[in-house]
Amino acid sequence: QVQLVESGGGLVQPGGSLRLSCAVSGSISSINNNVMGWHRQAPGKQRELVASITSGGSPNYADSVKGRFTISRDNGKKMVFLQMNSLKPEDTAVYYCSLRRLVYDYWGQGTQVTVSS
């Protein structure tokens, strides 16, 4: 079993920043060869992939967050991060860390991000 635990969510004003962290543990010995991702789901909306990072460190972003969010990884610590800047109310969602083997088949419990005045 692989466990992913997110942290760093909270309440922030529009234009503010948050840094989300994801710690991976369990049966997987390393995340060196895995694509890692961050998904989010807002009430009444489908879950969407907002950022991913390949084993080689190449990032990809949804258009809605490009230029504002940065995904990074620390393979030695088995951690993944999402730096979120210039936050907008529409970024409000539960953010989930995810690990891809064949597909994104391991998920964290999520951390709530609320962007509001």
Side-chain angles (χ1 to χ4, degrees):
Q1 184 74 20
V2 176
Q3 294 88 43
L4 292 80
V5 179
E6 304 94 337
S7 61
L11 175 64
V12 65
Q13 293 184 346
S17 297
L18 286 173
R19 181 175 171 85
L20 305 184
S21 299
C22 171
V24 181
S25 63
S27 62
I28 192 167
S29 60
S30 79
I31 61 170
N32 295 358
N33 301 319
N34 297 102
V35 175
M36 304 297 298
W38 286 94
H39 293 74
R40 69 184 181 188
Q41 188 167 29
K45 304 292 185 180
Q46 292 187 338
R47 183 174 295 187
E48 64 172 337
L49 178 67
V50 299
S52 65
I53 184 166
T54 70
S55 60
S58 180
N60 287 282
Y61 302 97
D63 288 341
S64 59
V65 307
K66 191 172 297 182
R68 300 187 297 120
F69 290 12
T70 302
I71 188 171
S72 60
R73 62 193 296 160
D74 186 332
N75 289 340
K77 295 181 179 180
K78 294 196 290 184
M79 296 190 72
V80 187
F81 308 94
L82 186 67
Q83 179 67 46
M84 304 185 294
N85 298 325
S86 301
L87 283 162
K88 304 174 180 179
E90 50 263 45
D91 295 319
T92 296
V94 177
Y95 284 73
Y96 299 89
C97 181
S98 53
L99 180 151
R100 180 175 177 172
R101 296 188 297 174
L102 186 61
V103 296
Y104 288 107
D105 55 355
Y106 287 100
W107 301 83
Q109 82 289 343
T111 185
Q112 177 70 49
V113 172
T114 302
V115 186
S116 175
S117 299

